Amino acid sequence: MKFRGKIVDGACLNHFTRISNMIAKLAKTCTLRISPDKLNFILCDKLANGGVSMWCELEQENFFSEFQMEGFSAENNEIYLELTSENLSRALKTAQNARALKIKLTNKHFPCLTVSVELFSMSSSTRIATHDIPIKVIPRKLWKDLQEPMVPDPDVSIYLPVLKTMKSVVEKMKNISSHLVVEANRDGELNLKIETELVCVTTHFKDLGNPPLASESTSQDRNPEHMAEVHIDIRKLLQFLAGQQVNPTKALCNIVTNKMVHFHLLHEDVSLQYFIPALS
Amino acid sequence: MGAEPAGAVRGKGPRARRPRRAGQCWPWFGRRGSMKCLVTGSNVKVLGKAVHSLSRIGDELYLEPLEDGLSLRTVNSSRSAYACFLFAPLFFQQYQATTPGQDLLRCKILMKSFLSVFRSLVMLEKTVEKCCISLNGQSSRLVVQLHCKFGVRKTHNLSFQDCESLQAVFDPALCPHVLRAPARVLGEAVLPFPPALAEVTLGIGRGCRVILRSYHEEDADSTVRAMVTEVCLGEEDFQQLQAQEGAAITFCLKEFRGLLSFAESANLNLCIHFDAPGRPAIFTVKDSLLDGHFVLATLSETDSYSQDLGSLERHRPVPQLQAHSTPHPDDFANDDIDSYMIAMETTIGNEGSRALPSISLSPGPQPPQSPGSPSEEEDEAEPSTVPGTPPPKKFRSLFFGSILAPVGSPQGPSPVLAEDSEGEG
């Protein structure tokens, strides 16, 4: 298995760094899947993650000026690696003003993803910072658990309000309750609700707009004002919102009543899907 | 009170039993002189920064006005780091070490107390016009007075203890290896390292490249490996580079950062004098008005701990420093992990044996790294768990012994640095 890539464009580098910072906030450990066209950061819905799963996808040619990979085999031309997300974001942090960044799979005493940053320096010599990020290669047998999650048809699909606002609301709510109800309808209304013995707090977002639903047939029967709701753990929602440092290009959420809420964001050309299951 | 010969009067009270040294005076009989130093302008901030630096090392500040300047010193609790700043008389608008004919003051203050005066560097820079440090011969308080803008005067009365002079025995001139570079260059070089990183290895690689690499103790119990960061500097970055290829030392980065941040803010060059692993490394900054020395212990090549275990390979490794990143863009010699994959596939769920880092000390080039066939790796890996053993004390108080002792000889008990003036002996 081989992998090597090079990023020389400053804007691409910064974007890649921001993505890795986001991943570091969303998942302590994650899987990096390398395929000929894409890179994916994956968190699968294990109990250890509290049932939360994440699927982040980017097209490699939007970032890398050079990209070569050789997967497990010709039929399975992919590489799955497990790593500590913070290591990658920390390594990329040093590349803020770099001339070039190279990333490759190596085996120096232990398998690593080596990030090599060529820095600008005052003197004529190039300064190079290298980070060896320890990784675990995920064996072929376990790949089936790391595939893109299937999204059941949502009951409601709605565009999200400004995430910063959502985050500050949820942050305050976290101090009152550990459950949160997310509900939305096809009339562009989204509510975040918490209920305790002493107090109920609801924040209403209006005029958000709904993306067109894939299956139009079900939508005919429903009253557009009917709310689809799901109870979730507030901390999981907060963790998701805290990871969004930059306003996404596009953000929507799909609610499957009493099952899960599925967030789908687009950061320029990078797609992020985040699934929070309903509390049982 | 007249002097009494030692031992002449016994059993007549605690005072009589104290051993006396020539020239020592009892603190409370006021033969100590008065001290006064006045710092003005931007030097106040420099002084403050120096105190911040020292606070990264130790909990007690030894303040000693000498004829050639005010000396501020500290040592850490494990005696593995010593720091000293000497401010020349010209640094001060007014400098009086002691009143004529009186003994020099030597006092020890809680670092926290002294630092609290200079806590906010921003405040020092913006509002403080003058700083006066004084001690009246009779009083028991060191007075630090900040004269600020708008007529505000802040007076701090700090209690202190008399003490012996804190001296560390070291001589930069005896170190065979010297590096000198602007602090800014070194500051940039340590940026890629995580702020929490405790230790770093500095060494000379092929082609006189200076390499800094994060050092992590091989923790047999942890399943999570740490990321290894390495920064490579070219010879041209250094104003002086006098060191052999292969020379390398490992020292505490946190302590070094203390001096580094001071040197960066004062725009000084930083000099690193070092010797063999285990011998202390001396970091110095200097300009016409001040002198700073940080002496840090370095990791020794073998540790009595590992020798007791009788294991072959668990020397506390002094990492062979070879630049992993070469100037050639396509160095993929280390790419091949297929053999590792084979090992993985055949032992699913097994963590697999970990190859040990290279521990050779020879300065010559390392033999080409073969990724190692699975069986090779298994042979090299030794049982990596030593259950229940406490982590070894790596940094011994190494450097307070005589520097004339032969290299590698076991250190005697660390000499007492500063005896309690009131001590029971």
Side-chain angles (χ1 to χ4, degrees):
Chain A
M1 294 199 313
K2 282 187 173 34
F3 167 58
R4 64 184 193 189
K6 186 170 174 183
I7 303 179
V8 294
D9 179 78
C12 293
L13 199 45
N14 288 339
H15 191 26
F16 193 62
T17 306
R18 281 196 297 271
I19 299 297
S20 93
N21 288 342
M22 175 180 75
I23 300 295
K25 292 206 157 75
L26 296 177
K28 184 154 176 256
T29 312
C30 75
T31 301
L32 172 64
R33 169 180 174 251
I34 307 170
S35 55
D37 306 316
K38 307 194 200 132
L39 284 185
N40 292 88
F41 293 97
I42 307 167
L43 186 68
C44 67
D45 59 351
K46 290 200 282 256
L47 217 58
N49 306 323
V52 161
S53 54
M54 169 184 80
W55 181 269
C56 177
E57 186 165 295
L58 54 92
E59 300 280 322
Q60 62 86 350
E61 61 181 21
N62 292 341
F63 292 87
F64 293 86
S65 57
E66 280 172 38
F67 189 92
Q68 289 172 31
M69 60 100 32
E70 239 174 66
F72 178 77
S73 66
E75 307 86 55
N76 298 294
N77 194 20
E78 290 172 333
I79 302 174
Y80 286 71
L81 308 169
E82 190 182 282
L83 50 80
T84 302
S85 326
E86 203 198 338
N87 283 342
L88 182 61
S89 71
R90 209 186 293 141
L92 291 174
K93 205 161 120 179
T94 54
Q96 249 178 7
N97 293 315
R99 240 182 226 141
L101 178 130
K102 279 188 244 168
I103 182 168
K104 58 189 183 192
L105 196 56
T106 58
N107 186 21
K108 303 171 178 174
H109 312 300
F110 50 86
C112 327
L113 206 55
T114 295
V115 175
S116 172
V117 181
E118 201 181 307
L119 298 161
F120 289 110
S121 77
M122 296 302 227
S123 63
S124 54
S125 64
T126 39
R127 186 131 354 119
I128 301 181
T130 313
H131 302 270
D132 292 326
I133 302 170
I135 51 161
K136 262 198 245 179
V137 180
I138 298 180
R140 171 84 188 85
K141 286 190 188 179
L142 302 176
W143 291 10
K144 60 180 179 350
D145 299 327
L146 295 163
Q147 300 309 306
E148 185 168 357
M150 298 305 299
V151 188
D153 282 335
D155 296 312
V156 169
S157 189
I158 187 168
Y159 290 116
L160 290 171
V162 173
L163 293 185
K164 237 191 203 159
T165 313
M166 254 184 101
K167 178 177 153 215
S168 58
V169 164
V170 175
E171 228 164 36
K172 303 293 191 306
M173 287 179 164
K174 179 190 72 154
N175 299 328
I176 304 175
S177 163
S178 57
H179 303 191
L180 175 92
V181 176
V182 179
E183 62 178 22
N185 64 21
R186 297 209 188 109
D187 221 11
E189 291 176 342
L190 173 81
N191 298 337
L192 299 174
K193 268 200 315 206
I194 52 167
E195 275 175 26
T196 65
E197 277 173 9
L198 296 175
V199 66
C200 280
V201 182
T202 309
T203 303
H204 303 263
F205 296 94
K206 291 189 157 74
D207 297 325
L208 293 171
N210 302 82
L213 266 182
S215 49
E216 285 300 326
S217 53
T218 43
S219 69
Q220 308 296 355
D221 316 340
R222 295 266 184 82
N223 174 3
E225 286 178 1
H226 175 83
M227 289 278 181
E229 68 168 35
V230 61
H231 290 242
I232 57 172
D233 181 339
I234 203 173
R235 286 162 303 185
K236 297 193 178 120
L237 177 60
L238 196 53
Q239 183 175 23
F240 168 69
L241 293 170
Q244 311 311 316
Q245 299 285 297
V246 188
N247 244 346
T249 317
K250 199 161 135 182
L252 60 87
C253 98
N254 297 318
I255 300 179
V256 182
T257 306
N258 297 327
K259 282 267 164 55
M260 68 146 136
V261 59
H262 165 222
F263 293 99
H264 194 161
L265 305 185
L266 202 61
H267 284 280
E268 291 173 53
D269 46 6
V270 177
S271 128
L272 173 72
Q273 295 183 64
Y274 200 79
F275 302 81
I276 303 179
L279 286 171
S280 47
Chain B
M1 227 18 175
E4 287 172 334
V9 185
R10 290 205 181 267
K12 283 242 173 115
R15 219 181 291 149
R17 282 196 220 109
R18 286 209 185 83
R20 287 200 59 236
R21 265 167 293 278
Q24 184 185 28
C25 58
W26 303 125
W28 45 84
F29 289 107
R31 279 186 50 197
R32 188 206 306 122
S34 296
M35 170 201 90
K36 184 167 175 179
C37 330
L38 188 63
V39 187
T40 56
S42 55
N43 283 352
V44 177
K45 188 177 173 202
V46 174
L47 178 65
K49 272 237 94 170
V51 178
H52 276 261
S53 258
L54 294 170
S55 70
R56 304 283 279 266
I57 303 279
D59 296 324
E60 285 175 329
L61 181 70
Y62 291 74
L63 191 131
E64 195 174 336
L66 303 165
E67 289 310 323
D68 44 333
L70 180 69
S71 141
L72 298 177
R73 295 177 230 206
T74 188
V75 68
N76 73 355
S77 52
S78 57
R79 301 286 201 246
S80 62
Y82 161 90
C84 163
F85 279 101
L86 180 70
F87 294 95
L90 281 177
F91 179 81
F92 303 90
Q93 188 178 72
Q94 190 190 337
Y95 182 74
Q96 176 193 304
T98 185
T99 40
Q102 304 289 6
D103 287 343
L104 287 171
L105 165 78
R106 279 182 228 110
C107 70
K108 175 166 82 161
I109 315 165
L110 267 188
M111 185 68 77
K112 249 190 338 194
S113 311
F114 203 72
L115 182 63
S116 67
V117 179
F118 303 96
R119 166 100 46 214
S120 166
L121 293 168
V122 173
M123 189 267 299
L124 287 182
E125 189 170 21
K126 290 204 172 131
T127 63
V128 178
E129 289 161 358
K130 288 197 281 203
C131 168
C132 182
I133 305 174
S134 62
L135 178 65
N136 179 303
Q138 311 294 331
S139 90
S140 58
R141 291 281 187 269
L142 181 76
V143 181
V144 184
Q145 201 169 56
L146 298 177
H147 299 241
C148 309
K149 273 190 195 166
F150 314 118
V152 174
R153 204 179 291 185
K154 298 180 190 170
T155 308
H156 300 257
N157 296 304
L158 309 173
S159 61
F160 63 89
Q161 275 184 296
D162 286 295
C163 61
E164 284 300 309
S165 180
L166 178 69
Q167 290 285 1
V169 179
F170 63 92
D171 186 356
L174 291 178
C175 293
H177 311 294
V178 185
L179 300 175
R180 185 159 48 98
R184 185 188 35 82
V185 168
L186 295 169
E188 271 169 23
V190 302
L191 266 183
F193 294 96
L197 180 64
E199 279 131 29
V200 75
T201 302
L202 164 76
I204 317 295
R206 266 199 308 225
C208 280
R209 294 164 78 74
V210 175
I211 301 167
L212 283 166
R213 190 192 297 166
S214 57
Y215 177 82
H216 298 278
E217 198 176 305
E218 283 290 307
D219 191 355
D221 290 340
S222 89
T223 47
V224 181
R225 280 185 180 270
M227 179 165 83
V228 173
T229 299
E230 183 182 289
V231 173
C232 206
L233 299 166
E235 205 180 341
E236 316 77 56
D237 283 321
F238 291 85
Q239 294 157 338
Q240 186 186 2
L241 176 52
Q242 177 188 312
Q244 261 183 335
E245 256 176 45
I249 48 163
T250 301
F251 55 87
C252 180
L253 179 61
K254 281 190 182 163
E255 287 163 353
F256 170 61
R257 280 191 205 267
L259 179 63
L260 187 56
S261 77
F262 174 83
E264 275 183 293
S265 69
N267 219 358
L268 298 171
N269 292 332
L270 202 148
C271 220
I272 308 175
H273 305 259
F274 62 102
D275 200 336
R279 307 285 310 152
I282 305 164
F283 302 83
T284 62
V285 292
K286 191 180 171 65
D287 80 1
S288 53
L289 298 179
L290 61 84
D291 222 298
H293 284 82
F294 271 45
V295 188
L296 305 180
T298 64
L299 204 53
S300 63
E301 40 189 312
T302 57
D303 204 84
S304 55
Y305 164 82
S306 57
Q307 281 170 349
D308 288 342
L309 289 185
S311 75
L312 292 170
E313 281 152 333
R314 296 295 270 193
H315 306 304
R316 289 288 153 224
V318 176
Q320 162 95 36
L321 275 185
Q322 184 120 53
H324 281 165
S325 49
T326 68
H328 307 294
D330 283 333
D331 172 28
F332 290 104
N334 294 327
D335 261 11
D336 182 18
I337 67 163
D338 285 333
S339 50
Y340 178 83
M341 277 305 294
I342 295 166
M344 277 260 6
E345 290 290 305
T346 52
T347 58
I348 289 289
N350 184 349
E351 191 56 31
S353 46
R354 297 181 197 163
L356 295 170
S358 152
I359 49 161
S360 121
L361 290 176
S362 66
Q366 217 176 358
Q369 290 209 33
S370 70
S373 65
S375 56
E376 213 173 73
E377 285 188 337
E378 267 157 49
D379 284 343
E380 281 179 350
E382 51 156 54
S384 49
T385 48
V386 182
T389 17
K393 268 215 181 75
K394 297 181 335 226
F395 290 110
R396 301 175 291 190
S397 57
L398 300 171
F399 60 99
F400 287 111
S402 164
I403 50 166
L404 301 173
V407 175
S409 69
Q411 294 287 333
S414 56
V416 175
L417 291 175
E419 294 180 14
D420 301 320
S421 50
E422 283 99 9
E424 273 65 49

XYZ file of all heavy atoms in Angstrom, chain A residues 125-168:
355
model
N 18.205 28.830 3.514
C 17.974 27.384 3.600
C 16.504 27.094 3.822
O 15.784 27.872 4.426
C 18.775 26.801 4.763
O 18.307 27.336 5.982
N 16.079 25.942 3.331
C 14.679 25.581 3.583
C 14.597 24.973 4.959
O 15.447 24.194 5.368
C 14.175 24.516 2.594
O 15.221 23.579 2.376
C 13.749 25.124 1.287
N 13.560 25.338 5.626
C 13.351 24.730 6.922
C 12.262 23.698 6.746
O 11.223 23.975 6.173
C 12.908 25.822 7.912
C 12.816 25.313 9.279
C 13.487 26.112 10.340
N 14.281 27.223 9.978
C 14.025 28.462 10.364
N 12.951 28.722 11.065
N 14.835 29.436 10.041
N 12.499 22.519 7.254
C 11.504 21.462 7.090
C 11.059 20.957 8.444
O 11.877 20.631 9.296
C 12.091 20.287 6.278
C 12.531 20.785 4.913
C 11.057 19.180 6.120
C 13.089 19.721 4.022
N 9.763 20.901 8.616
C 9.216 20.314 9.835
C 8.507 19.035 9.429
O 7.730 19.025 8.480
C 8.253 21.270 10.504
N 8.809 17.964 10.122
C 8.192 16.682 9.785
C 7.413 16.175 10.973
O 7.895 16.220 12.098
C 9.295 15.641 9.481
O 10.236 16.217 8.607
C 8.710 14.410 8.832
N 6.232 15.711 10.698
C 5.442 15.115 11.777
C 5.128 13.678 11.406
O 4.583 13.427 10.338
C 4.123 15.876 11.953
C 4.300 17.329 12.250
N 4.399 17.817 13.528
C 4.414 18.388 11.431
C 4.555 19.132 13.481
N 4.575 19.506 12.224
N 5.465 12.776 12.276
C 5.114 11.369 12.041
C 3.895 11.047 12.882
O 3.981 10.940 14.102
C 6.287 10.463 12.449
C 7.478 10.644 11.541
O 7.273 10.893 10.342
O 8.619 10.548 12.032
N 2.787 10.921 12.218
C 1.544 10.649 12.941
C 1.341 9.146 12.996
O 1.185 8.496 11.956
C 0.349 11.305 12.207
C 0.579 12.811 12.093
C -0.945 11.009 12.937
C -0.413 13.486 11.183
N 1.328 8.579 14.177
C 1.150 7.122 14.236
C -0.244 6.741 13.781
O -1.221 7.430 14.095
C 1.342 6.790 15.722
C 1.272 8.071 16.448
C 1.431 9.195 15.497
N -0.324 5.698 13.010
C -1.618 5.248 12.503
C -1.772 3.759 12.704
O -0.805 3.046 12.932
C -1.757 5.505 10.983
C -0.530 4.939 10.264
C -1.969 6.970 10.664
C -0.766 4.724 8.805
N -3.002 3.322 12.605
C -3.273 1.888 12.604
C -3.897 1.580 11.263
O -4.874 2.219 10.872
C -4.309 1.567 13.695
C -3.717 1.057 14.981
C -4.775 0.369 15.796
C -4.996 1.146 17.078
N -5.997 0.630 17.955
N -3.325 0.631 10.589
C -3.921 0.255 9.313
C -5.101 -0.657 9.609
O -4.980 -1.623 10.359
C -2.887 -0.473 8.430
C -3.521 -0.858 7.113
C -1.685 0.428 8.191
N -6.234 -0.338 9.048
C -7.424 -1.132 9.338
C -7.508 -2.280 8.344
O -7.496 -2.067 7.132
C -8.684 -0.248 9.288
C -8.546 0.824 10.368
C -9.945 -1.083 9.502
C -9.697 1.762 10.455
N -7.568 -3.486 8.864
C -7.559 -4.637 7.952
C -8.819 -4.711 7.116
O -9.889 -4.232 7.516
C -7.448 -5.836 8.897
C -7.848 -5.340 10.233
C -7.636 -3.872 10.271
N -8.673 -5.328 5.990
C -9.718 -5.444 4.987
C -11.041 -5.950 5.568
O -12.128 -5.506 5.195
C -9.178 -6.400 3.915
C -10.134 -6.868 2.862
C -10.258 -5.876 1.739
N -11.332 -6.300 0.874
C -12.610 -6.012 1.087
N -12.957 -5.307 2.122
N -13.532 -6.438 0.258
N -10.932 -6.871 6.517
C -12.135 -7.490 7.082
C -13.079 -6.480 7.714
O -14.279 -6.696 7.791
C -11.734 -8.467 8.191
C -11.135 -9.711 7.678
C -10.985 -10.715 8.807
C -10.195 -11.896 8.296
N -9.974 -12.903 9.297
N -12.500 -5.379 8.216
C -13.330 -4.440 8.976
C -13.864 -3.299 8.128
O -14.563 -2.424 8.612
C -12.519 -3.874 10.154
C -11.987 -4.924 11.124
C -11.112 -4.289 12.190
C -13.143 -5.670 11.767
N -13.525 -3.304 6.827
C -13.951 -2.191 5.985
C -15.462 -2.070 5.886
O -16.009 -0.979 5.715
C -13.371 -2.359 4.574
C -11.891 -2.172 4.504
C -11.015 -2.067 5.542
C -11.117 -2.080 3.317
N -9.736 -1.908 5.074
C -9.769 -1.925 3.713
C -11.424 -2.122 1.956
C -8.726 -1.800 2.789
C -10.392 -1.998 1.039
C -9.054 -1.839 1.464
N -16.159 -3.187 5.997
C -17.606 -3.138 5.777
C -18.315 -2.262 6.810
O -19.380 -1.725 6.548
C -18.206 -4.539 5.789
C -18.009 -5.285 7.091
C -18.647 -6.651 7.000
C -18.511 -7.518 8.229
N -17.646 -7.153 9.311
N -17.706 -2.114 7.975
C -18.318 -1.277 9.007
C -18.079 0.202 8.774
O -18.571 1.044 9.512
C -17.741 -1.625 10.385
C -18.032 -3.060 10.751
O -19.099 -3.556 10.338
O -17.190 -3.667 11.440
N -17.256 0.491 7.778
C -16.866 1.884 7.587
C -17.376 2.451 6.277
O -16.750 3.298 5.666
C -15.325 1.980 7.629
C -14.729 1.618 8.986
C -13.244 1.332 8.865
C -14.946 2.754 9.977
N -18.514 2.003 5.865
C -19.063 2.513 4.605
C -19.982 3.688 4.859
O -20.409 3.941 5.980
C -19.824 1.393 3.885
C -18.934 0.209 3.551
C -17.671 0.651 2.818
O -17.744 1.332 1.794
N -16.506 0.296 3.337
N -20.289 4.399 3.797
C -21.136 5.583 3.941
C -22.497 5.174 4.509
O -23.133 4.268 3.995
C -21.338 6.255 2.578
C -22.115 7.568 2.685
C -22.074 8.379 1.400
O -21.397 7.944 0.446
O -22.712 9.444 1.378
N -22.916 5.828 5.595
C -24.192 5.436 6.215
C -25.367 5.676 5.273
O -25.392 6.659 4.522
C -24.299 6.353 7.435
C -22.984 7.013 7.587
C -22.303 6.969 6.274
N -26.328 4.773 5.317
C -27.545 4.946 4.517
C -28.454 5.909 5.258
O -28.626 5.782 6.473
C -28.266 3.597 4.388
C -27.457 2.541 3.691
S -26.904 3.100 2.063
C -28.467 3.393 1.262
N -28.986 6.840 4.534
C -29.890 7.784 5.178
C -31.318 7.397 4.844
O -31.703 7.425 3.679
C -29.638 9.213 4.673
C -30.445 10.204 5.478
C -28.163 9.541 4.737
N -32.095 7.021 5.833
C -33.496 6.707 5.541
C -34.227 7.971 5.100
O -33.797 9.080 5.399
C -34.048 6.200 6.881
C -33.097 6.690 7.907
C -31.772 6.899 7.259
N -35.309 7.803 4.388
C -36.063 8.979 3.943
C -36.460 9.834 5.123
O -37.099 9.362 6.053
C -37.335 8.539 3.204
C -37.009 8.103 1.786
O -35.973 8.593 1.268
O -37.745 7.292 1.230
N -36.109 11.075 5.063
C -36.427 11.919 6.208
C -37.896 12.324 6.184
O -38.516 12.407 5.135
C -35.529 13.140 6.011
C -35.314 13.214 4.541
C -35.383 11.821 4.009
N -38.409 12.592 7.355
C -39.770 13.131 7.436
C -39.766 14.605 7.086
O -40.705 15.118 6.477
C -40.335 12.931 8.845
C -40.478 11.454 9.175
O -41.031 10.735 8.317
O -40.011 11.027 10.248
N -38.749 15.290 7.518
C -38.627 16.711 7.199
C -37.174 17.005 6.858
O -36.256 16.503 7.500
C -39.038 17.605 8.396
C -38.652 19.052 8.168
C -40.533 17.497 8.648
N -37.030 17.860 5.866
C -35.687 18.309 5.501
C -35.731 19.827 5.509
O -36.616 20.433 4.900
C -35.375 17.769 4.113
O -34.030 17.994 3.821
N -34.791 20.441 6.221
C -34.875 21.898 6.367
C -33.481 22.503 6.384
O -32.519 21.890 6.859
C -35.649 22.254 7.662
C -35.905 23.763 7.769
C -34.917 21.762 8.898
C -36.895 24.123 8.858
N -33.365 23.726 5.851
C -32.077 24.424 5.903
C -31.863 24.939 7.327
O -32.804 25.344 8.008
C -32.042 25.592 4.926
C -31.995 25.154 3.477
C -33.041 25.443 2.606
C -30.898 24.435 2.987
C -33.003 25.045 1.285
C -30.855 24.021 1.668
C -31.910 24.321 0.819
O -31.874 23.914 -0.490
N -30.600 24.954 7.748
C -30.306 25.362 9.119
C -30.123 26.872 9.226
O -29.700 27.519 8.260
C -29.024 24.687 9.601
C -29.121 23.183 9.848
C -27.738 22.605 10.107
C -30.030 22.895 11.021
N -30.416 27.420 10.396
C -30.108 28.839 10.618
C -28.596 29.013 10.790
O -27.856 28.034 10.717
C -30.831 29.153 11.928
C -30.945 27.848 12.624
C -31.012 26.792 11.577
N -28.156 30.248 11.023
C -26.731 30.505 11.217
C -26.237 29.620 12.366
O -26.780 29.658 13.469
C -26.489 31.997 11.559
C -25.037 32.229 11.921
C -26.922 32.864 10.400
N -25.213 28.835 12.105
C -24.775 27.851 13.094
C -24.271 28.486 14.379
O -24.422 27.934 15.461
C -23.691 26.954 12.487
C -24.172 26.040 11.359
C -23.051 25.123 10.920
C -25.370 25.220 11.779
N -23.682 29.664 14.253
C -23.177 30.328 15.448
C -24.317 30.632 16.415
O -24.188 30.496 17.627
C -22.513 31.641 15.034
C -21.086 31.759 15.468
C -20.569 33.158 15.262
C -19.058 33.133 15.146
N -18.499 34.263 14.496
N -25.426 31.063 15.847
C -26.591 31.370 16.676
C -27.101 30.103 17.327
O -27.381 30.076 18.527
C -27.723 31.980 15.817
O -27.172 32.986 14.984
C -28.816 32.554 16.689
N -27.196 29.073 16.525
C -27.666 27.792 17.052
C -26.760 27.353 18.188
O -27.216 26.870 19.224
C -27.588 26.726 15.954
C -28.907 26.335 15.365
S -28.700 25.005 14.185
C -29.199 23.603 15.132
N -25.486 27.522 17.965
C -24.534 27.055 18.968
C -24.686 27.835 20.271
O -24.686 27.253 21.354
C -23.103 27.205 18.449
C -22.074 26.783 19.472
C -20.671 26.862 18.924
C -19.706 27.097 20.071
N -18.597 27.905 19.765
N -24.841 29.127 20.196
C -24.933 29.886 21.456
C -26.223 29.552 22.193
O -26.254 29.508 23.412
C -24.784 31.379 21.220
O -25.751 31.845 20.344
